[in-house]
Amino acid sequence: MRSLTLAEARERSELLTVTSYAVELDLDQGAEVFGSVATVRFTCHRPGEPSWVDLKARSVASITLNGRDLDPAAVVEGRLPLPDLAADNELTVVATMAYSHDGQGLHRATDPADQRDYVYGHLFLDAAPSVFVCFDQPDLKAPYDVTVNAPADWVVIGNGAATQTAPGRWTLATTRPLATYFVTVCAGPYVSVRSEHDGIPLGIHARASLKEPLERHAAELFDVTRRSFDYFHGLFGIRYPFGEYHQVFVPEFNAGAMENPGCVTFRDQYLFRGAATRDELLSRANTVSHEMAHMWFGDLVTMKWWDDLWLNESFAEYMSHRCLVDATDYTDAWVDSSIVRKVWGYGAERSPSTHPIAGVEALDAQSALQNFDGIAYAKGAAALRQLIAYVGDDRFVAGVRAYLSEKSYANGTLADFLAAIEQASGKDLAAWSQGWLLTADRDAISVELTTDGEAPGAHVTAAAIRRGVPSAHPADRPHALDVAGWTDGAEVFRASTTLTGPEATLDGLRGKPVPAVVVPNASDLTWARVTLSESTIHALPVQLSQIPDPQARAVVWSSLLDAVHGAAVAPATFLHVFECVWPSETNSSILTRMAAYAEHRIVPFFVPRAQQSRALERLASSARALLDTATPGSTESLAAARLLAGANDDEGLLRSWAEGEGLPLGLEDDGDFRWIVVGNLATRGFIGAEEVEGYRLKDETLQGSLNALMCRASLPDAEQKAWAWDQLTGRHDRSNYEMVHLARGFWSAPEDALVEAYVERYFTEVPEMSGWVGEDALSRVVRVAFPRVFTDETARLSAATLTRDDLTPAVRRSLVDADSELREALASRRAYYPEA
């Protein structure tokens, strides 16, 4: 299918104005297809000229334009030509559409728990034409009238309030003007919990098999929803404009959530079946607030073209964290951002695919999707914090209010937003935006102290903070930040500054005692590569756990991760710091995320395979130490148990836990925890395919089936690897989630020899999957399935593949990023394990 180009979008929006859509979906035609009857009314500003409309149908029964029939065979590559348009036009298309199984379009999934089917629409980025005929670009917004015919036992939820007018017949209220990619319908035997707040009807919905966790988590979800509504109403000065507010937890969802007005969709893993750590609840609360912020940023005011995606995501990212800190109990949300979101964004910034936050002219829609990453989210949010430091919060909020009011129900651009902030603040933002928004990469920040002797007992005689500008992407970015130092848990100094050049003196530090640990950007206010001094890194095993400020500890951990990826700190140094301080960590986000990074990133990527067992045992020892001291049932206990379940090699303990014996308190009947244990048993070859199937039979749910696939793919057996590879790359109608779980398990192996034959096959067979897997889903498969055989030969094959000119944009971007991670691992291994 052709991807819409920017030039084409501009041409069409200049020619047409869409006035309304009437869409009727028949979801009662079986499990493979559904009926779509759509009428589009639109005006043409230059009558007599032609245009086209987007349509990706399985088959087309009829097309009528202004009373005359058009030939269905005229649809080519997803486009239907529209000849000789009138001033006022009406187009009706009767078509049969195909359900998807890759998370795009109208996705249909079967729940193994009860064999009942569920449908939801995910029309981002260009999937709307696979559901109804439309002018599929974000600046041709229009109101929608949607009716749905569904099986009699199904519930229907959508952008407008749903009313059942007859058995299986539903009518949705007319919407406000929406971009095509925000339209959704969720249908199936969903179970619901309903409430109301400030005159807004609220609903949360999930599969019938998730009724218990839905009801268990409903109070928390509604509480965050209510607090977010109140906060955003007060901050923006504009009430929520889309009627009812539904949040639907759907199966096999590609992203975390999608901000469909009035009907937000979430991945249903957020309805935790078993125990959940505090940071998991915080992450879910952040997602709830993030999607609500989109009701203003993205839904009320929509970007004109995909190159302003940051106007959606950066704002929602910033606003959700701000809301959690100011209006909920999750006051440490910025700590979570530092150790989760910014680490994600820094990874994107290290890759050759790095790009500016804004101003990247996406020449077509699919190319725009490639910038939908941690830069658009985390770096964008950090840039907004810097903008607030530059213009002042009151003026920033005033500008935001003006922007939202002026562009309501329409479209905005970077220029529109900056003009609103300039008007409110009286400041020219041209230079600021050039450095922060329009230039890629990040500066390096370091602090140098001159002292009158050796610590302890020495004092600072001079202090300077330095900014290193990346040579490939030079820019002049001002940084509002602070520097802090600690010794034995006592804060020795803290100084705030705005760095506007290569170097600035910190006169306030003169005469202060020399601290054991110095942390640049201690409050994590800016976006930069934080470089810790050698003396600070040397002191961390003793000092880090004593620092009482969790924000500063998060900055330290983030800096260490960055340095390992850059071959500036040895993996062994990282693991030593982990062993010494992790069991004493008190912040939930740092505790759980650093365990995950250590187990799933540092060890498998940066430690040679022959030494990984010993490295994992070091992690397991840390987990045992924490589990022995943690309060039973606490986040600390759960984090320790999970790490121990995944890292230790005690077959007896693993088997007993898998059978539910001797479990730590709070993990009884926790199916998700059991799969961590079973996954470890499978990876080490302690069990086989038959035993994996036995555990699946104990958990005949969607998540249980997926985990069983991952465990079977991880078995250290040549026959099972061959089966898993065929299931992953062959045309077996596997869902997006099934492919990802097969990929997650495949490269687990006790030695490279078991899987190295598949390295070359990956670079030929996985890109070919673009013929039957959607771009959004395939981009994830390409990344997860990238070979975990860290050799020069893998790098050679990867580089050769990237020279091909037939790769789709999604495949190429994922390959570029995975290749970058491979080369980071190789550089680190060469530096610190030259003999391996």
Side-chain angles (χ1 to χ4, degrees), residues 655-693:
R655 285 188 177 274
S656 64
W657 278 7
E659 296 303 320
E661 301 169 1
L663 288 166
L665 183 67
L667 292 174
E668 304 83 359
D669 300 318
D670 190 324
D672 293 328
F673 179 78
R674 179 169 58 202
W675 281 112
I676 297 174
V677 178
V678 174
N680 193 358
L681 286 166
T683 299
R684 295 180 184 276
F686 293 156
I687 60 174
E690 184 175 338
E691 289 170 285
V692 170
E693 174 62 12

Side-chain angles (χ1 to χ4, degrees), residues 533-534 536-541 544 557 560 563-564 568-581 602 607 618 832-833:
S533 67
E534 289 187 12
T536 289
I537 293 173
H538 181 74
L540 291 178
L544 181 55
W557 279 115
L560 282 178
V564 171
V569 163
T573 299
F574 180 95
L575 293 172
H576 179 54
V577 174
F578 185 94
E579 282 182 298
C580 292
V581 308
I602 299 298
V607 177
R618 294 172 67 183
Y832 300 108
Y833 301 97

Side-chain angles (χ1 to χ4, degrees), residues 104 366 369-370 770 773-780 808-811:
Q104 297 171 243
Q366 280 299 331
L369 181 61
Q370 311 323 310
S770 61
V773 179
E775 286 282 274
D776 195 15
L778 185 57
S779 66
R780 290 165 171 79
T808 65
V811 169

Side-chain angles (χ1 to χ4, degrees), residues 272-530:
F272 305 110
R273 300 190 304 167
T277 59
R278 184 181 183 280
D279 66 288
E280 288 174 323
L281 298 176
L282 186 160
S283 178
R284 183 179 67 188
N286 182 267
T287 304
V288 168
S289 190
H290 177 110
E291 302 310 318
M292 187 183 291
H294 274 309
M295 298 300 125
W296 289 266
F297 289 100
D299 297 7
L300 178 65
V301 182
T302 306
M303 60 194 172
K304 188 173 182 64
W305 180 244
W306 299 108
D307 51 7
D308 276 326
L309 179 67
W310 80 283
L311 283 171
N312 288 17
E313 299 305 342
S314 300
F315 278 93
E317 182 83 359
Y318 168 74
M319 289 297 176
S320 62
H321 286 86
R322 176 171 175 154
C323 175
L324 290 194
V325 171
D326 291 350
T328 77
D329 295 334
Y330 296 111
T331 55
D332 56 340
W334 286 118
V335 178
D336 186 78
S337 173
S338 297
I339 207 64
V340 180
R341 310 296 284 182
K342 292 184 81 169
V343 167
W344 171 42
Y346 287 156
E349 197 85 285
R350 287 193 304 267
S351 174
S353 65
T354 185
H355 56 86
I357 297 171
V360 181
E361 189 170 66
L363 298 182
D364 61 71
Q366 280 299 331
S367 296
L369 181 61
Q370 311 323 310
N371 292 336
F372 196 62
D373 58 15
I375 293 172
Y377 285 78
K379 184 179 182 180
L384 288 176
R385 296 185 83 183
Q386 287 297 303
L387 176 60
I388 291 168
Y390 188 68
V391 303
D393 189 64
D394 290 346
R395 293 172 181 177
F396 171 78
V397 172
V400 166
R401 286 186 168 201
Y403 170 75
L404 292 174
S405 297
E406 181 182 347
K407 298 295 181 179
S408 289
Y409 306 110
N411 298 86
T413 65
L414 168 62
D416 295 330
F417 172 75
L418 291 178
I421 302 298
E422 286 180 332
Q423 180 66 31
S425 67
K427 288 194 173 184
D428 185 334
L429 296 179
W432 183 92
S433 63
Q434 181 63 43
W436 274 107
L437 301 180
L438 302 178
T439 308
D441 216 332
R442 56 189 169 142
D443 299 332
I445 302 294
S446 60
V447 172
E448 182 176 339
L449 302 181
T450 303
T451 68
D452 59 8
E454 298 291 329
H459 290 77
V460 177
T461 58
I465 184 168
R466 294 194 170 91
R467 182 188 72 182
V469 175
S471 58
H473 304 98
D476 185 11
R477 303 177 187 88
H479 294 269
L481 75 166
D482 62 354
V483 176
W486 288 269
T487 299
D488 298 335
E491 186 174 300
V492 176
F493 59 64
R494 186 181 292 262
S496 297
T497 188
T498 298
L499 184 59
T500 58
E503 181 176 323
T505 59
L506 300 171
D507 293 333
L509 302 190
R510 191 178 299 125
K512 299 288 187 181
V514 176
V517 170
V518 178
V519 184
N521 193 31
S523 296
D524 206 11
L525 299 177
T526 196
W527 178 269
R529 178 182 288 108
V530 171

